[in-house]
């Protein structure tokens, strides 16, 4: 954060962590600019306080000064609240800028790697071409290509409140990122560099002066608009970029003159506006509006894309004559709207392909505005018109034009349709049960409870969305806490009640969500019983035997602990896959993964490759939420890399070698798995089922205060108290432990389980050959690296339960010790230099924010501070933003 060149300590620190020179330069420039802004806005005293706390935090963290931690605590305690807020905001700004620098460097590395490769060379071991090549070697080229054609990747965007940044802050960060990237792209110097510096200072000043906290909670439609912004900036182009990249590799020199090989495999889903489980703000009206907003966004994008393609089709008819089919299409367009046809003919005289496509763009606009005379009835009609244009270009001997930008537009239509993302509904099984009981007592036309009416209106909203945008726009209905086949039957029964006397019953696929340990254990029995439900059998007959099952990572982890949940999920997937295969069903497992490790987070591609045989089979669907959406999809280069990695892993997961490794490991280590599962679950229950644990948890973490943070439309808990963890949602459970620098939700119980086994050779062998265990342990290692025992101790001391604090700290030390033993490491992340370097560089700065948060939390818990409760809470919530930015994950 220095406003001058780094001092000797800074330089030694950078050298120790081997920071690449370009990244170091970005951090230096941004740090200097932030220092200048702090001096201009807050004076030399603010700058000195920030620097003093920074220096003390570094010395305390690296152990070079035994007194530094206590001195840092005293410095924080002596600040008045205004100064503490300013310092917290300064560190938060620093993390935002450091994140920008790291993201820019990641993009830089990806670009450099690509530019250094000769044509058609495999980009990386985890690329789609590499996966396809390995698959061809194992199953033959024909079978590999067939599997590629059936590949499915379905990210489902959710509005779970784990993105702590205000939209205004996120926009400021994006503008700064563009300016940092400009310094690389333009190789600027002299006047250009001075201009870039001036603009950077301007944007950093804006970031500093923008309040990090929202004044009001976002509405559901605010959340919809936020994700639509990601679509407009990234999603609209990134899927087609991945398709094109793979197609170019597959076709080689024939690329651009031959019909594309790649079939679009990406499909977006969304829960935003459909997920009403525990969120009373999601109503039937909101569901309809969310679908309308999404459709408007994609139709706007398709119209713009069509007009861009038309601008390039300046092909004179004598040299590129229209086909008879194109001439017929033009006549049909004139019949639809002579005025529009005449206008386009005047704009493109003698350019028949261009004017046809301009009318296509006009019809897409009419579809958005609901002009019945001109609107397309469905995406298939639009795709058919585009196919006529493409075929005409081919007949005229212009294949490069046919398979150029026009092909991208066709892929966009195939990927997004007119709905952009399938809107999925989710509701709790008990809500359905209560609604059916209400209807049974009063009749469907009787005086029903407000919630029952809303349940029925939800199905009517689904019908309305399907009528307007097609079945693909909204047909999946997820049943939270599915504990019997009756819970699935209830969905179909309620849909029938909602449309009593009507023949317009919507298509509904009831999807079970198995969340708790007990539900996972009973999953196959529930699925088997569901085949006796007539409505379920009817849907399976209609859809070719395709069935979807959702698995909840969050609640299962909160239920039995992270390791036991991971093993239970693995076992459930294997059993469900075998059950589906036995019935000849096409299974898609839907993974309800969060961003944090306690919620199934971590690298998605590694997780895919560790799944049981038959459980992926070329189809992967998962939730993407909060900060994960922006981290994975906020930048086009990073988004393309992520999509390709996950798609490659999805394709490769069914390779014989991968399935064989997972199957053999599961059998070989079955006894080990049972021991690990049992011990870790008992250790976890010893803690969370102790008398008074929920209340103690609320005391030693900022749980209550996080509920005040207006970062999502959804309530933080199902009930009004924390007397039971059952009422607490998984997100605040994980978020709270993360803020307290303990990250307990990601690792608790593993140390005891590994120690109980005790056979270090066996555990190392399992780590080396069992992908599931290796992925879990590596994720735990990262989680542990973000903990800080000294700060964790300070949080745990806020509660009057030395016994529970001792359990947590003891398990933390044991887990750290055994993770290092199993991985053969001298210290956490010592084998993963890049990740270890990033965590080590950030930790002291996060420590500084944690000390500020502790000051506020301690005062709130004791109640004897001179400052007001509201002011203390404001300081605490400001630090939440900073710690989230520093750790790069929340819930």
């Amino acid at each position: 954060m220095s406003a001058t060149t780094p001092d000797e300590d800074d330089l030694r620190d950078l050298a120790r962590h081997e920071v690449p020179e370009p990244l170091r330069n970005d951090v230096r420039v941004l740090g200097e600019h932030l220092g200048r802004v702090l001096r201009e806005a807050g004076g030399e005293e603010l700058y000195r306080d920030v620097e003093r706390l920074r220096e003390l935090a570094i010395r305390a963290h690296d152990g070079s000064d035994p007194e530094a931690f206590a001195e840092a605590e005293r410095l924080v305690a002596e600040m008045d609240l205004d100064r503490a807020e300013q310092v917290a905001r300064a560190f938060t700004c620093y993390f935002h800028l450091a994140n920008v620098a790291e993201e820019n460097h990641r993009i830089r590395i990806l670009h450099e790697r690509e530019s250094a490769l000769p044509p058609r060379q495999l980009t990386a071991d985890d690329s789609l071409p590499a996966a396809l090549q390995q698959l061809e070697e194992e199953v033959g080229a024909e079978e590999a290509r067939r599997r590629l054609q059936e590949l499915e990747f379905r990210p489902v965007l959710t509005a779970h409140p784990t993105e702590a940044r205000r939209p205004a802050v996120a926009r400021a960060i994006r503008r700064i990122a563009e300016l940092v990237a400009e310094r690389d792209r333009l190789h600027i110097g002299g006047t250009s560099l001075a201009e870039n510096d001036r603009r950077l200072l301007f944007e950093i000043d804006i970031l500093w002066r923008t309040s990090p906290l929202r004044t009001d909670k976002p509405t559901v439609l605010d959340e919809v608009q936020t994700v639509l912004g990601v679509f407009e900036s990234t999603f609209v182009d990134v899927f087609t970029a991945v398709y094109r990249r793979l197609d170019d590799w597959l076709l080689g020199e024939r690329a651009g003159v031959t019909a594309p090989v790649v079939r679009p495999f990406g499909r977006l889903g969304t829960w935003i506006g459909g997920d009403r489980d525990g969120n009373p703000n999601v109503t039937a009206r909101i569901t309809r509006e969310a679908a309308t907003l999404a459709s408007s966004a994609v139709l706007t994008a398709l119209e713009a894309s069509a007009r861009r393609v038309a601008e390039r089709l300046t092909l004179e008819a004598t040299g590129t004559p229209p086909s008879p089919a194109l001439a017929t299409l033009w006549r049909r367009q004139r019949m639809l709207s002579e005025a529009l046809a005449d206008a386009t003919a005047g704009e493109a005289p003698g350019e028949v392909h261009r004017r046809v496509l301009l009318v296509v763009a006009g019809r897409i606009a009419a579809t958005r505005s609901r002009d019945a005379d001109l609107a397309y009835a469905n995406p298939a009609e639009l795709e058919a018109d585009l196919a006529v244009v493409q075929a005409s270009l081919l007949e005229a001997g212009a294949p490069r034009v046919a398979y150029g930008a026009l092909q991208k537009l066709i892929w966009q239509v195939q990927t997004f349709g007119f709905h952009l993302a399938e809107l999925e509904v989710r509701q709790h099984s008990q809500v359905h049960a209560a609604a059916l009981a209400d209807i049974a007592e009063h009749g469907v036309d009787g005086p029903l409870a407000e919630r029952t009416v809303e349940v029925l209106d939800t199905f009517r909203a689904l019908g309305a969305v399907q009528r307007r945008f097609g079945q693909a726009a909204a047909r999946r209905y997820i049943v939270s806490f599915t504990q019997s086949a009756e819970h699935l039957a209830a969905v179909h029964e309620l849909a029938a009640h909602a449309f009593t006397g009507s023949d317009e019953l919507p298509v509904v696929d009831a999807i079970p969500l198995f969340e708790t340990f007990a539900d996972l254990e009973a999953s196959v029995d529930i699925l088997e019983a569901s085949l006796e439900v007539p409505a379920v059998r009817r849907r399976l007959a209609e859809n070719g035997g395709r069935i979807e099952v959702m698995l909840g990572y969050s609640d299962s982890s909160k239920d039995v602990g992270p390791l036991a949940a991971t093993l239970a999920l693995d076992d459930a997937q294997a059993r469900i896959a075998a059950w589906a295969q036995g019935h000849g069903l096409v299974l898609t497992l839907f993974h309800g993964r969060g961003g944090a490790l306690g919620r199934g987070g971590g690298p998605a591609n590694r997780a895919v490759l560790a799944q049981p045989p038959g459980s992926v089979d070329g189809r992967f669907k998962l939730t993407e939420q909060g900060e994960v959406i922006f981290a994975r999809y906020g930048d086009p280069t990073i988004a393309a890399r992520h999509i390709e990695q996950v798609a490659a892993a999805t394709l490769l997961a069914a390779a014989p070698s991968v399935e064989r490794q997972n199957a053999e490991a599961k059998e070989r280590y079955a006894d080990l798995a049972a021991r690990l599962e049992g011990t870790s679950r008992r250790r976890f229950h010893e803690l969370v089922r102790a008398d008074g644990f929920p209340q103690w948890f609320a005391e030693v973490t900022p749980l209550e205060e996080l509920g005040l943070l207006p970062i999502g439309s959804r309530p933080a808990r199902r009930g009004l108290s924390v007397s039971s963890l059952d009422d607490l949602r998984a997100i605040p459970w994980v978020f709270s432990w993360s803020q307290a620098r303990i990250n307990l939700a990601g690792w608790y119980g593993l140390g005891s389980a590994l120690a109980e086994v005790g056979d270090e050779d066996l555990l190392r062998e399992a780590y080396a050959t069992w992908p599931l265990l290796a992925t879990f342990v590596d994720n735990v290692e990262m989680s542990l690296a973000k903990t800080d025992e000294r700060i964790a101790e300070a949080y745990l001391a806020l509660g009057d339960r030395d016994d529970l604090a001792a359990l947590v700290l003891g398990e933390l030390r044991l887990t750290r010790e055994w993770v290092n033993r199993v991985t053969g490491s001298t210290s956490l992340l010592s084998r993963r230099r890049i990740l270890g370097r990033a965590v080590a560089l950030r930790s002291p700065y996060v420590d500084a924010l944690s000390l500020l948060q502790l000051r506020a939390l301690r005062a709130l818990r004791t109640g004897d501070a001179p400052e007001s409760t509201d002011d203390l809470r404001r300081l605490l919530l400001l630090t939440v933003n900073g710690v989230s930015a520093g750790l790069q994950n929340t819930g």
Side-chain angles (χ1 to χ4, degrees):
M1 220 177 290
S2 175
T4 59
T5 56
D7 60 25
E8 290 184 10
D9 287 340
D10 291 331
L11 290 172
R12 280 197 297 270
D13 189 61
L14 289 169
R16 183 170 70 251
H17 295 294
E18 301 177 25
V19 178
E21 184 66 26
L23 175 57
R24 177 164 43 206
N25 286 338
D26 285 346
V27 173
R28 177 185 57 79
V29 168
L30 293 172
E32 287 177 358
H33 286 1
L34 177 58
R36 182 171 173 180
V37 166
L38 292 180
R39 282 174 157 148
E40 292 173 352
E44 289 293 334
E45 288 188 6
L46 169 61
Y47 178 75
R48 282 198 298 270
D49 284 345
V50 170
E51 284 295 284
R52 180 62 178 153
L53 182 55
R54 182 181 75 90
E55 292 165 1
L56 289 170
I58 290 172
R59 296 209 302 269
H61 191 82
D62 66 17
S64 62
D65 183 353
E67 304 299 321
F69 189 82
E71 193 175 342
E73 285 190 301
R74 283 194 297 273
L75 176 62
V76 167
E78 290 167 1
M79 294 178 186
D80 61 42
L81 278 188
D82 285 342
R83 176 49 51 85
E85 279 194 19
Q86 288 179 313
V87 172
R89 289 178 64 171
F91 277 95
T92 301
C93 283
Y94 171 77
F95 278 127
H96 290 321
L97 297 177
N99 289 344
V100 166
E102 287 187 3
E103 180 180 281
N104 187 63
H105 188 65
R106 184 179 173 194
I107 294 166
R108 181 188 291 131
I109 293 299
L110 288 173
H111 286 162
E112 289 175 355
R113 186 182 300 160
E114 293 301 315
S115 64
L117 292 170
R120 282 184 57 75
Q121 182 171 322
L122 300 182
T123 55
D125 290 342
D126 52 5
S127 70
L128 265 168
L132 188 60
Q133 188 174 71
Q134 180 177 335
L135 204 57
E136 288 177 348
E137 291 171 358
E138 295 192 31
V139 301
E142 184 177 345
E143 174 63 13
R145 295 298 174 94
R146 184 194 67 78
R147 294 186 185 190
L148 176 63
Q149 295 304 311
E150 296 181 357
L151 178 66
E152 293 181 13
F153 172 48
R154 295 178 175 269
V156 179
L157 311 179
T158 80
H160 288 345
T162 63
E163 171 55 79
R165 297 177 304 184
R166 278 186 68 193
V169 171
R171 289 193 293 271
I173 292 169
R174 182 47 54 196
R175 294 193 297 271
I176 292 169
E178 290 169 358
L179 288 170
V180 173
E182 182 182 86
R183 298 173 79 91
D184 278 348
R185 189 167 60 249
L186 301 180
H187 302 289
I188 54 180
T191 303
S192 296
L193 181 61
E195 169 67 8
N196 183 275
D197 283 334
R198 183 191 65 75
R199 291 160 64 201
L200 265 177
L201 282 164
F202 170 79
E203 293 295 353
I204 292 172
D205 194 35
I206 292 290
L207 177 63
W208 162 251
R209 295 175 187 276
T210 300
S211 172
L213 300 178
R214 298 183 65 128
T215 55
D216 301 306
K217 289 175 73 70
T219 67
V220 178
L221 295 182
D222 288 337
E223 294 168 334
V224 172
Q225 293 285 13
T226 297
V227 170
L228 290 181
V230 181
F231 165 74
E232 291 163 2
S233 64
T234 304
F235 278 123
V236 67
D237 293 318
V238 73
F239 280 107
T240 57
V242 174
Y243 304 154
R244 179 69 76 186
R245 175 185 174 87
L246 177 59
D247 208 62
D248 286 348
W249 184 85
L250 287 167
L251 293 174
E253 293 182 355
R254 295 179 297 130
V257 294
T258 305
V261 177
V262 174
R263 181 191 66 83
F265 55 76
R267 295 292 185 274
L268 279 179
T270 179
W271 280 10
I272 309 173
D275 181 11
R276 59 241 310 128
D277 179 12
N279 191 347
N281 300 307
V282 179
T283 63
R285 179 184 65 81
I286 291 294
T287 296
R288 294 187 192 207
E289 290 188 31
T292 301
L293 286 170
S295 177
S296 179
V298 73
L299 288 169
T300 298
L302 291 175
E303 180 194 353
S305 185
R307 293 193 185 280
R308 282 194 298 272
V309 177
E311 287 173 4
R312 301 182 184 185
L313 290 184
T314 53
L315 313 176
E316 208 277 321
T318 57
T320 313
S323 68
L326 190 74
T328 300
L329 174 57
W330 171 245
R331 288 194 295 272
R332 197 164 66 243
Q333 288 178 330
R334 287 190 62 84
M335 291 174 63
L336 285 172
S337 174
E338 192 169 336
L340 177 60
D342 287 345
T344 57
E347 186 177 343
E351 298 167 353
V352 183
H353 293 90
R354 183 179 176 210
R355 68 191 189 199
V356 166
L357 204 53
L358 285 170
V359 174
V360 167
R363 292 195 64 191
I364 297 173
T367 307
R368 186 179 69 254
S369 63
R370 306 194 73 180
D371 179 346
D373 292 333
L374 269 178
Y376 282 108
N378 51 58
E381 282 192 2
L382 169 58
E383 192 177 341
D385 281 359
L386 296 177
V388 170
V389 177
Q390 189 174 60
S392 178
L393 290 167
L394 290 171
E395 287 182 35
R400 290 198 181 279
V401 182
Y403 296 130
L406 179 60
Q407 181 60 48
K408 175 183 175 180
L409 174 58
I410 293 171
W411 276 335
Q412 286 174 323
V413 176
Q414 292 170 337
T415 299
F416 303 114
F418 288 173
H419 58 281
L420 194 159
E422 181 179 355
L423 185 60
E424 301 187 353
V425 170
R426 182 172 73 134
Q427 183 57 281
H428 199 289
S429 59
Q430 295 307 310
V431 172
H432 297 153
L436 285 173
D438 192 14
I439 294 169
E441 181 178 355
H442 300 103
V444 72
D445 296 319
L448 298 173
E450 183 179 346
R451 191 167 69 171
T452 302
V453 172
E454 178 58 38
V455 168
L456 296 175
D457 282 346
T458 296
F459 288 98
R460 293 165 188 143
L462 280 178
V465 171
Q466 287 187 14
R467 283 193 301 274
R468 183 169 174 185
F469 306 117
Q471 287 184 13
R475 61 179 173 81
R476 287 176 167 86
Y477 197 113
I478 296 151
V479 184
S480 294
F481 287 89
T482 299
Q483 297 177 324
S484 71
E486 286 73 23
H487 288 162
L488 300 177
V491 172
H492 297 283
E493 189 175 348
L494 286 164
H497 283 310
F499 286 84
T500 298
S502 171
D503 295 329
E504 298 183 358
L505 191 68
V507 173
V508 178
D509 287 325
I511 297 171
L513 170 50
F514 300 118
E515 300 180 78
T516 67
F517 182 79
D519 295 343
L520 290 168
E521 291 288 290
S523 58
V524 169
D525 291 339
I526 295 169
L527 290 169
E528 182 66 28
S530 74
L531 296 182
E532 300 302 316
V533 176
V536 172
R537 289 203 306 272
R538 184 171 61 252
R539 276 301 298 147
L540 289 174
E542 292 169 351
N543 68 19
R546 297 180 70 90
I547 190 168
E548 189 168 307
V549 177
M550 185 173 181
L551 304 170
Y553 286 65
S554 306
D555 282 285
S556 58
S557 181
K558 184 165 68 75
D559 187 23
V560 294
L563 177 56
T566 296
L567 293 169
L569 284 159
D570 183 71
D571 183 59
Q573 288 179 72
R575 290 185 291 109
I576 293 170
W579 170 83
Q581 186 177 24
H583 285 283
L585 300 174
V586 180
L587 171 70
T588 297
L589 286 172
F590 180 9
H591 301 264
R593 300 166 65 89
L597 301 179
R599 306 192 57 242
N605 56 318
R606 288 194 66 197
V608 174
L609 291 172
Q611 302 305 304
S615 64
V616 178
D617 200 21
R619 294 174 296 280
F620 189 64
K621 182 177 179 182
L622 80 166
T623 51
E624 302 274 38
Q625 62 192 46
E627 82 280 359
V628 171
I629 295 175
F630 294 94
R632 290 178 174 169
Y633 303 106
D635 177 86
T637 302
I638 292 175
R641 171 70 168 155
H642 171 70
I643 291 169
E644 183 176 6
Q645 282 183 311
V646 178
T650 303
L651 188 64
L652 201 55
S657 61
V658 175
E659 290 202 329
R660 184 166 55 251
Q661 181 182 15
N662 285 315
E664 290 175 354
K666 187 174 182 65
E667 182 179 358
R668 183 187 310 136
Y669 299 115
D671 291 341
L672 174 62
R675 292 177 66 183
L676 292 172
E677 187 278 329
T679 302
S680 66
R681 178 154 51 104
R682 286 192 296 273
R683 184 65 166 172
F684 185 77
H685 285 164
E686 181 185 1
L687 176 68
V688 301
R689 293 183 178 179
D691 289 341
F693 173 82
Q695 296 80 6
W696 176 76
F697 166 57
E699 282 289 310
V700 302
T701 71
L703 171 67
E704 295 289 347
E705 290 74 19
L706 291 175
L708 303 172
L709 195 62
I711 61 175
S713 66
R714 183 191 189 92
R717 62 177 66 95
R718 294 180 174 92
L720 298 176
S721 70
V722 288
S723 58
S724 169
L725 291 185
D726 293 338
D727 292 329
L728 183 69
R729 294 195 173 278
I731 289 171
W733 163 255
V734 174
F735 202 166
S736 299
W737 286 121
S738 171
Q739 287 289 315
R741 304 294 302 286
I742 301 171
N743 289 334
L744 178 146
W747 53 263
Y748 198 89
L750 174 63
S752 291
L754 296 174
E756 189 276 334
V757 172
D759 187 336
E760 202 167 314
D761 290 338
L762 172 63
L763 292 170
R764 284 190 178 185
E765 175 195 289
Y767 174 75
T769 59
W770 185 10
L772 180 71
L773 182 66
T775 301
F776 181 79
V777 169
D778 286 348
N779 285 343
V780 166
E781 184 182 23
M782 181 173 71
S783 184
L784 290 172
K786 293 182 179 182
T787 65
D788 186 281
E789 186 173 336
R790 185 157 38 183
I791 289 175
E793 266 187 280
Y795 276 94
L796 296 177
L798 296 173
D800 188 22
R801 290 292 299 272
D802 291 345
D803 57 331
L804 296 181
L807 278 177
V808 173
L809 292 172
E811 187 67 20
L812 174 62
R813 294 164 191 147
L814 191 63
T815 305
R816 186 189 302 125
E817 174 192 347
W818 274 93
V819 164
N820 283 334
R821 285 194 190 188
V822 170
T823 60
S825 303
T826 55
S827 60
L828 295 172
L829 298 180
S830 62
R831 299 162 300 107
R832 300 155 76 184
R833 290 171 48 224
I834 295 175
L835 182 59
R837 178 180 65 218
V839 172
L841 280 172
R842 288 166 172 274
S843 292
Y845 298 87
V846 182
D847 294 350
L849 280 164
S850 293
L851 290 174
L852 289 162
Q853 186 177 112
L854 268 166
R855 177 211 163 148
L857 194 59
R858 194 176 286 120
L860 287 167
R861 295 295 181 262
T862 60
D864 57 4
E867 300 92 351
S868 73
T869 297
D870 286 345
D871 288 341
L872 288 167
R873 281 177 174 165
R874 176 176 170 79
L875 172 60
L876 187 147
L877 295 179
L878 284 169
T879 64
V880 167
N881 282 273
V883 171
S884 297
L887 295 177
Q888 293 186 304
N889 64 272
T890 52

